[in-house]
Amino acid sequence: MLNFNAPPLKNTAAEPVWKVLIYDRFGQDIISPLLSVKELRDMGITLHLLLHSDRDPIPDVPAIYFVMPTEENIDRICQDLRNQLYESYYLNFISAISRSKLEDIASAALAANAVNLVTKVFDQYLNFITLEDDMFVLCNQNKEQISYHAINKPDIMDTEMEGIMDTIVDGLFCYFVTLGAVPIIRCPRGNAAEMVAVKLDKKLRENLRDARNSLFTGDTMGAGQFSFQRPLFVLADRNLDLATPLHHTWTYQALIHDVLDLYLNRVSLEESPGSEASPAGARPKKKSKKSYDLTAADKFWQKHKGSPFPEVAESVQEELDTYRAQEDEVKRLKSIMGLEGEDDGAISMLSDNTAKLTSAVSSLPELLEKKRLIDLHTNVATAVLDHIKSRKLDVYFEYEEKLMSKSTMDKSLLDIISDPDAGTPEDKMRLFLIYYITSQQPPSEGDLEQYKKALIDAGCDLSPLNYIKQWKVMNTGSQFVMEGVKNLVLKQHNLPVTRILDNLMDMKSNPAIVFVVGGGNYIEYQNLVDYAKAKQGKRVMYGCSELFSATQFMKQLSQLGQK
């Protein structure tokens, strides 16, 4: 698409054609986890602008549009044509554009005398966001429209439900078109996941029936990784396991998502202002926000995002030590040769007998990039550690693991709830909800009153409990979900979603995709990744309608509990 809808020519020395990229918020969310500004520039994108911003005409440059085919987007494209903003227009729609909207663009182009400037119009079928090679989420803009809350609110109308299901199915259909594979669909009965399955099945069949225009035949199929094997597509419903999204976790990526602000692979930290005291009466310094991208190119991240946190802390320290040793080596070599003040470019011009020095210098850019990544993880891991210590998150993690695996308890739940030093009110509420969800018998009325009093004293909002009580009554049928295995601390035990996949996989070698309708989280993703590793090379992918942190999920439960 960024190469004017033609395959990019490999290894040509030719300069790319300069062009502008115009996207809407949906397009921005799809591109931002995949391509950095530098990578865009390497592809010839000099400017990337939001469709609905004030854009100046650049009449001698082609423009690539990447937008949803909404009414307001189409209007704006027509306006651009009338205002003769660009040299030519390559229109790429994230989801398929309807016939009538296409005609709107055509008549605007005619009226603006710009028909020959609209070079290409494409349906890209890219209405989903890829966060990892094996993980995707449906949308980020307007995610409240397909959230757990939206699907489960008591007063939902049939037309609303239809709309939610259509939105989810459109994203999933795009996913399979991009994959170039027709899935084998499996789902439980009688919930939102089944509704999605039925609609997706219908949409896939209709497309396959229209042989001339099918998106799953001929050239696209060969391109798919799975052309010879249909992937197993497991649709699960969030309601089958509400404990996992509330769980305090212990692995790096999931912890960052739980305690920091992680959003489309970018983590934002509040930098604490320097420790030097401000002069008396001065205004306190504002905390500045710094954001870091956690990318596929970051080897440390790729290796450790699924590791238990203590391991991560240790590895950061090791990396730092290795780096310091190398840095000293460069300094040492420079001083031996009396080159402390010289710039690195001049040093690299020296003759051969300094080969050792030259190799140290040529690796300097690499060293500096390494240093940047070490600093990044030092800052992020330190921020995570502050939360663990100040909230006693290790205590929560361990206690919840025991609850979820039905192990014996050494501490009373009431003690943790009443301990003013252990966690925020929300931490306490999450722990209590997990206890309530996983217990075979709900606590007696007397016990429940005692717990509620302790929770209220700790400053908790009890509305999520109102909802979970109703939920538990409705969902007792699927109790198998919570059968645990007795074990603790990251011995591999499979979460409900992983267990369902395991039952369906049998001995089949097909790649599998697990998708959770109603929202997912990194704990579940990590559990599937670990499962696939243990199964030696099974391809498993994870997707969800939205990716929420425990805090965001608690807000939704709280809203449902107030209804």
Side-chain angles (χ1 to χ4, degrees):
M1 179 179 89
L2 297 177
N3 195 48
F4 304 119
N5 308 90
L9 295 168
K10 291 279 180 288
N11 58 33
T12 49
E15 278 285 288
V17 179
W18 299 113
K19 53 216 167 217
V20 294
L21 172 64
I22 312 292
Y23 46 43
D24 61 0
R25 297 259 178 229
F26 287 87
Q28 187 179 34
D29 287 346
I30 293 166
I31 290 175
S32 93
L34 297 176
L35 294 163
S36 67
V37 174
K38 181 187 178 307
E39 289 168 311
L40 286 174
R41 192 165 298 130
D42 292 344
M43 293 175 182
I45 306 286
T46 49
L47 268 178
H48 40 99
L49 302 163
L50 279 165
L51 177 64
H52 293 283
S53 59
D54 288 330
R55 290 173 282 115
D56 297 327
I58 315 176
D60 50 351
V61 171
I64 295 173
Y65 285 70
F66 183 50
V67 298
M68 285 291 274
T70 60
E71 202 77 51
E72 49 185 1
N73 284 354
I74 304 293
D75 289 348
R76 186 62 188 258
I77 292 171
C78 294
Q79 190 185 322
D80 287 358
L81 291 170
R82 282 195 294 276
N83 296 342
Q84 301 172 341
L85 286 193
Y86 307 112
E87 173 193 80
S88 52
Y89 301 81
Y90 293 77
L91 306 179
N92 297 276
F93 294 104
I94 295 170
S95 266
I97 184 171
S98 66
R99 182 68 202 242
S100 66
K101 290 200 175 106
L102 207 50
E103 285 166 0
D104 293 344
I105 296 178
S107 42
L110 266 172
N113 205 2
V115 173
N116 57 338
L117 303 183
V118 179
T119 318
K120 290 187 180 172
V121 181
F122 270 84
D123 286 334
Q124 287 292 357
Y125 294 99
L126 285 173
N127 193 14
F128 60 94
I129 299 170
T130 305
L131 293 175
E132 306 276 348
D133 288 348
D134 51 6
M135 179 188 198
F136 69 101
V137 55
L138 285 196
C139 73
N140 181 45
Q141 301 297 323
N142 313 352
K143 60 182 172 200
E144 58 288 337
Q145 291 171 9
I146 59 166
S147 65
Y148 179 82
H149 171 262
I151 297 171
N152 290 281
K153 59 181 197 192
D155 53 354
I156 189 165
M157 286 150 62
D158 289 354
T159 48
E160 281 180 273
M161 196 61 160
E162 285 289 313
I164 294 172
M165 297 299 122
D166 287 339
T167 303
I168 292 176
V169 167
D170 182 67
L172 290 175
F173 182 74
C174 289
Y175 179 78
F176 287 108
V177 171
T178 303
L179 212 53
V182 181
I184 299 163
I185 304 175
R186 295 276 180 268
C187 70
R189 291 202 174 280
N191 51 24
E194 187 182 21
M195 294 168 76
V196 170
V198 171
K199 272 186 186 285
L200 179 62
D201 179 69
K202 183 166 173 260
K203 190 161 177 147
L204 288 164
R205 281 173 198 278
E206 280 168 4
N207 191 270
L208 289 165
R209 211 171 287 134
D210 175 7
R212 216 185 50 198
N213 296 313
S214 172
L215 297 156
F216 295 97
T217 48
D219 52 352
T220 52
M221 282 305 282
Q225 311 153 284
F226 300 149
S227 40
F228 54 99
Q229 266 190 327
R230 291 177 57 193
L232 173 69
F233 185 48
V234 181
L235 271 157
D237 195 290
R238 184 68 275 159
N239 278 319
L240 115 163
D241 167 19
L242 292 190
T244 303
L246 297 168
H247 188 21
H248 288 86
T249 175
W250 204 232
T251 55
Y252 192 30
Q253 184 175 33
L255 260 170
I256 293 174
H257 191 229
D258 186 5
V259 304
L260 305 176
D261 179 11
L262 176 66
Y263 174 78
L264 300 181
N265 295 350
R266 174 170 292 169
V267 61
S268 303
L269 294 184
E270 288 202 338
E271 299 270 285
S272 47
S275 50
E276 70 275 3
S278 340
R283 287 170 60 184
K285 288 204 184 93
K286 250 187 83 148
K287 285 191 173 177
S288 62
K289 276 221 158 190
K290 199 164 166 52
S291 63
Y292 302 101
D293 290 315
L294 300 167
T295 66
D298 176 346
K299 290 199 184 68
F300 185 89
W301 176 243
Q302 288 312 315
K303 187 173 168 193
H304 290 293
K305 62 183 188 205
S307 308
F309 188 72
E311 251 172 64
V312 176
E314 210 171 294
S315 304
V316 170
Q317 192 53 51
E318 281 166 21
E319 292 277 320
L320 198 55
D321 296 345
T322 322
Y323 171 75
R324 291 212 171 112
Q326 288 169 300
E327 195 180 36
D328 290 346
E329 175 71 350
V330 175
K331 280 194 190 127
R332 191 176 68 82
L333 287 167
K334 279 187 178 178
S335 70
I336 289 173
M337 311 212 38
L339 293 172
E340 288 98 337
E342 291 290 335
D343 79 327
D344 299 332
I347 297 175
S348 62
M349 305 301 281
L350 292 166
S351 63
D352 284 342
N353 60 356
T354 57
K356 193 169 177 201
L357 180 65
T358 322
S359 77
V361 170
S362 62
S363 63
L364 207 61
E366 212 177 300
L367 273 174
L368 294 176
E369 173 59 7
K370 213 171 174 176
K371 173 87 168 86
R372 183 185 75 79
L373 293 174
I374 294 168
D375 288 345
L376 183 163
H377 289 290
T378 306
N379 292 341
V380 171
T382 305
V384 169
L385 187 61
D386 290 346
H387 280 275
I388 294 175
K389 284 182 172 162
S390 66
R391 290 157 61 183
K392 296 194 180 172
L393 296 184
D394 46 345
V395 174
Y396 282 90
F397 165 68
E398 210 157 351
Y399 200 92
E400 290 163 3
E401 286 277 300
K402 287 184 177 174
L403 285 172
M404 288 163 84
S405 61
K406 305 276 183 284
S407 311
T408 45
M409 296 300 171
D410 46 0
K411 238 199 227 74
S412 98
L413 182 62
L414 215 50
D415 286 350
I416 302 182
I417 295 173
S418 317
D419 176 356
D421 296 327
T424 61
E426 184 179 86
D427 289 326
K428 296 174 194 291
M429 197 61 198
R430 279 164 63 181
L431 171 65
F432 181 72
L433 290 176
I434 291 172
Y435 158 70
Y436 193 89
I437 290 165
T438 52
S439 56
Q440 304 279 278
Q441 301 296 314
S444 67
E445 274 308 305
D447 284 353
L448 189 60
E449 283 313 307
Q450 203 181 353
Y451 282 127
K452 278 165 105 172
K453 184 180 181 317
L455 288 163
I456 290 169
D457 290 346
C460 298
D461 161 27
L462 293 190
S463 33
L465 180 61
N466 303 336
Y467 176 73
I468 294 291
K469 272 175 155 171
Q470 293 165 357
W471 171 86
K472 188 140 176 152
V473 175
M474 303 285 288
N475 285 274
T476 41
S478 57
Q479 264 318 262
F480 87 96
V481 164
M482 292 308 162
E483 290 161 10
V485 268
K486 287 196 165 44
N487 55 23
L488 180 74
V489 187
L490 286 180
K491 287 202 186 79
Q492 176 59 25
H493 60 258
N494 292 336
L495 293 171
V497 167
T498 309
R499 289 210 284 276
I500 289 169
L501 173 68
D502 190 44
N503 292 338
L504 291 170
M505 291 276 266
D506 301 329
M507 300 307 293
K508 296 191 198 63
S509 63
N510 299 42
I513 299 144
V514 177
F515 184 86
V516 187
V517 178
N521 53 71
Y522 282 110
I523 304 179
E524 232 158 34
Y525 162 66
Q526 194 52 53
N527 196 248
L528 281 166
V529 170
D530 294 342
Y531 166 82
K533 268 199 198 119
K535 290 275 181 239
Q536 269 94 41
K538 273 218 194 298
R539 290 286 313 272
V540 179
M541 305 193 201
Y542 178 74
C544 48
S545 46
E546 71 159 321
L547 184 62
F548 44 51
S549 64
T551 300
Q552 291 161 332
F553 188 49
M554 285 287 281
K555 279 206 182 81
Q556 297 191 31
L557 294 178
S558 180
Q559 287 172 322
L560 286 163
Q562 289 161 11
K563 289 224 156 64

